[in-house]
Amino acid sequence: MSLPGAVPTILIADDDRSIRTVLTQALGRAGYQVRSTQTAATLWRWVEEGEGDLVITDVVMPDENGLDLVPRIRRLRPDLRVIVMSAQSTLLTAVKAAQRGAFEYLPKPFDLKELLAAVGRALTAPSPMAERPPAIGSEGEERLPLIGRSPAMQEIYRTIARLTTTDLTTMIIGESGTGKELVARALHDYGRRRGGPFVAINMAAIPRELIESELFGHERGAFTGATSRSPGRFEQAAGGTLFLDEIGDMPPEAQTRLLRVLQEGEFTSVGGRQSIRANVRIIAATHRDLRQAIRQGLFREDLFYRLNVVPIRLPPLRERAEDIPELARHFLDRASEQGMAAKALDEEAQRALMAYRWPGNVRELENLMRRLAALYPQEVIGREVIESELLDTGASPAAEPPPPAASASESLAQAVERHIMHVLAAHRDGLAPSDIYDQVLAEVERPLIELTLAATRGNQIKAAAMLGLNRNTLRKKIRDLDIQVLRGVS
C-alpha cells in the first residue's frame, strides 16, 4: 500500500498480454504506478504482501476465476477496491461482480476514458462498508432473464448489479414489449429481498374502482360484495418486491394513497382502521411520458419524484439491433425445450430481422420465433420466410413506407398532421400503436436536437440556449436519444 502522498500503485491481472500492455501504458500516462500479471495466484500474493492501492482483474484466468478473488480480497483488505473486467458481458457477470464486492464492473471491450474515470473514483471513494449481501448461486447463463451484449444492455446490467445491493425505489421506462417486468424480476431475484415474494400488479388491467382494494386490501363489509377480509398486494408482497406496472394509468385517488404509503411507510385497508406497515420494495414501470402527464394534470408530481429515485430506461429493440440474432437463438432454443422442432436462422434471415423496426419489441420477436418453430418444416430458416412473416404483419421488413413528400409551403403543424394520418392509415383495422403520442413526440424531438447541434457545430451550451433548455436537460436528451455529437462540423 502506498504511503500518504505517494503515487498510487495499481495491480492488474489479465491473461491477455495486449490488455495488460494497453492498461499499463494508459495508467502510466495518467501518473499511476502499475504492476501486471497473467495469473490470479500472483495477484493474490501481491495482495497478501500489502501491495497496491487498487486491483483491476479479469474474470477468466488460467488458474482461477477473478470473481472468486473479490470476496477474499475484501475480507483480507477491506479498503482495497477491485475493478472487474470481463468479456462475458452478461447480467449474471455484472451481478456477481457487484454482490461479491467489486467497486465497478466493466465489460470488454471497454473505453479507456471510462476505465480511467472508474480508477479515479475507486481511489478517492470513502472507505467501503465491510458487509455485502451473500453472493448469488451458480445458476447457469441460460436462466438469465435478460439477453443482449449491446452497449445499451451492458449499461442496464451494470445499473441492475448496483441496485441489487440496495432497496431503492426504481422506475423502469420503456416501450411496450421491451421487457420491463423482466428487469423488475432481475432486481428482485438478485437483490436483498429475493427470499420474499415478487408480486406484480398492472394498473391498466384493473377497474379504477377496484385499484385501492387490490393494492391495500379490504375489510369485511367495506363495500357491497366484501363478504370477508381480503389482503391487498402490499400485504402479499411483505418482505419482498411490489411491481407496479403501467403506473401512468393509476387513477388520481389511488395516486394520493400510494404517495401517503411511500411517505409514511404504512397504510390502512379499505374499510379498515388499523395501520399496517408497508414492508416492500417498490418498482414501478411505464411506457408513458410521466412528465407530460404531470403537465396535463394526470399524474402527481410529488408521487413521480418518490417513484423516480432510480430511473432505468429500456431501449426499444430497434436501438439494439446487434442483440437480435442472440435473442432469436434464445427464443428458438426455448421453443425447442418446450417440445417444438429445433430451428436455426441463416445469416440472411438474421440480417432481415436486424433490418426490421420491431414496433412490438422483444415480445414481437419472441412470438415470431415461436411461430417459426411451430409452423415451418425446414430446420434452417431463410430470408424468404422471415420477409413473408413480417409482411404478413402489415409492415415492411426494413421500414414502413415514407409518407408523401412535404410541399415547400407546408407548415410544421401540417407536416405533423400529414404524418399522423399516414401512421393511422397504415392500421386500417383500427389497431394503431398504443404509444403513438410518444412516438410522434420522439420523431419531432430527435431531428430538432440534431439539427440545432449541427447549426451550433456541436456546442451544447449554444444549442441549449437556442432550444430554451437547461444544459443538463439537453445532455440527458442527447444521452436518452443516443444522439452523436460531432464538434466543429458545419
Side-chain angles (χ1 to χ4, degrees), residues 236-288:
Q236 295 169 10
T241 301
L242 179 60
F243 176 51
L244 304 175
D245 198 6
E246 298 303 348
I247 191 73
D249 291 298
M250 177 179 271
E253 57 274 15
Q255 291 180 32
T256 301
R257 288 204 63 179
L258 177 59
L259 176 64
R260 193 174 303 123
V261 174
L262 295 174
Q263 289 173 334
E264 300 172 4
E266 58 184 28
F267 62 95
T268 55
S269 60
V270 177
R273 297 182 179 180
Q274 186 173 357
S275 295
I276 303 170
R277 181 168 169 263
N279 178 24
V280 299
R281 179 190 188 172
I282 298 290
I283 300 175
T286 183
H287 74 280
R288 299 186 183 279

Side-chain angles (χ1 to χ4, degrees), residues 83-101:
I83 294 176
V84 171
M85 307 177 298
S86 177
Q88 296 178 326
S89 307
T90 64
L91 171 61
L92 190 59
T93 307
V95 169
K96 282 183 176 179
Q99 295 200 338
R100 294 185 184 189

Side-chain angles (χ1 to χ4, degrees), residues 96-399:
K96 282 183 176 179
Q99 295 200 338
R100 294 185 184 189
F103 178 81
E104 183 61 278
Y105 161 77
L106 295 175
K108 292 180 180 179
F110 51 82
D111 182 271
L112 277 176
K113 290 183 179 179
E114 186 177 4
L115 182 133
L116 289 171
V119 167
R121 291 195 304 271
L123 291 172
T124 56
S127 296
M129 296 179 63
E131 293 299 322
R132 284 271 183 170
I136 59 176
S138 58
E139 55 264 51
E141 302 287 353
E142 69 276 2
R143 296 180 60 185
L144 290 177
L146 296 164
I147 302 292
R149 298 171 190 264
S150 62
M153 291 306 295
Q154 292 305 315
E155 187 57 37
I156 288 170
Y157 296 163
R158 292 168 65 188
T159 301
I160 292 173
R162 295 183 187 117
L163 288 175
T164 56
T165 62
T166 76
D167 275 346
L168 291 176
T169 302
T170 304
M171 174 78 79
I172 306 170
I173 304 149
E175 295 178 7
S176 297
T178 50
K180 296 187 289 293
E181 184 167 348
L182 292 179
V183 171
R185 286 189 177 275
L187 287 168
H188 171 78
D189 291 343
Y190 298 132
R192 289 176 168 177
R193 291 176 173 263
R194 56 184 171 274
F198 177 89
V199 176
I201 179 172
N202 188 319
M203 295 297 140
I206 300 173
R208 295 170 64 92
E209 64 274 11
L210 296 181
I211 282 184
E212 290 190 60
S213 174
E214 284 286 334
L215 282 175
F216 309 112
H218 63 259
E219 302 297 321
R220 179 181 179 183
F223 49 83
T224 303
T227 57
S228 61
R229 184 182 187 279
S230 177
R233 303 301 174 91
F234 268 91
E235 285 185 78
Q236 295 169 10
T241 301
L242 179 60
F243 176 51
L244 304 175
D245 198 6
E246 298 303 348
I247 191 73
D249 291 298
M250 177 179 271
E253 57 274 15
Q255 291 180 32
T256 301
R257 288 204 63 179
L258 177 59
L259 176 64
R260 193 174 303 123
V261 174
L262 295 174
Q263 289 173 334
E264 300 172 4
E266 58 184 28
F267 62 95
T268 55
S269 60
V270 177
R273 297 182 179 180
Q274 186 173 357
S275 295
I276 303 170
R277 181 168 169 263
N279 178 24
V280 299
R281 179 190 188 172
I282 298 290
I283 300 175
T286 183
H287 74 280
R288 299 186 183 279
D289 182 347
L290 291 186
R291 295 183 188 275
Q292 178 68 19
I294 291 169
R295 291 192 289 270
Q296 295 174 336
L298 300 176
F299 201 84
R300 293 187 62 123
E301 186 173 19
D302 44 6
L303 176 59
F304 171 77
Y305 287 114
R306 284 279 180 175
L307 293 170
N308 200 49
V309 178
V310 181
I312 297 178
R313 177 187 176 270
L314 282 186
L317 190 54
R318 62 184 173 274
E319 290 183 12
R320 56 183 188 107
E322 61 266 51
D323 289 337
I324 289 174
E326 185 178 3
L327 280 163
R329 283 195 300 271
H330 169 75
F331 292 133
L332 288 174
D333 290 345
R334 197 157 72 180
S336 177
E337 291 169 2
Q338 295 170 352
M340 300 184 201
K343 305 289 180 185
L345 302 171
D346 67 19
E347 291 187 7
E348 287 296 317
Q350 293 178 37
R351 279 195 280 270
L353 292 176
M354 293 172 69
Y356 181 57
R357 293 284 293 171
W358 298 107
N361 290 296
V362 179
R363 187 180 299 126
E364 182 183 4
L365 176 61
E366 180 180 12
N367 290 341
L368 174 59
M369 294 303 104
R370 292 179 63 84
R371 196 157 65 246
L372 295 177
L375 299 181
Y376 288 86
Q378 56 265 49
E379 293 182 1
V380 178
I381 302 295
R383 185 185 188 94
E384 298 79 9
V385 171
I386 297 297
E387 291 184 343
S388 173
E389 283 289 333
L390 294 178
L391 284 170
D392 284 345
T393 67
S396 167

Side-chain angles (χ1 to χ4, degrees), residues 76-88:
L76 181 66
R77 294 174 57 184
D79 290 335
L80 183 61
R81 301 311 202 293
V82 182
I83 294 176
V84 171
M85 307 177 298
S86 177
Q88 296 178 326

Side-chain angles (χ1 to χ4, degrees), residues 385-456:
V385 171
I386 297 297
E387 291 184 343
S388 173
E389 283 289 333
L390 294 178
L391 284 170
D392 284 345
T393 67
S396 167
E400 293 181 2
S407 66
S409 60
E410 186 177 41
S411 69
L412 176 61
Q414 290 170 328
V416 171
E417 180 180 354
R418 177 174 47 79
H419 177 74
I420 294 172
M421 290 175 64
H422 168 74
V423 171
L424 294 175
H427 298 270
R428 295 184 178 88
D429 55 2
L431 299 176
S434 61
D435 58 350
I436 185 173
Y437 179 84
D438 293 332
Q439 285 185 24
V440 171
L441 286 185
E443 289 180 30
V444 173
E445 190 172 41
R446 174 182 284 277
L448 174 62
I449 293 175
E450 287 178 336
L451 292 172
T452 305
L453 285 167
T456 62

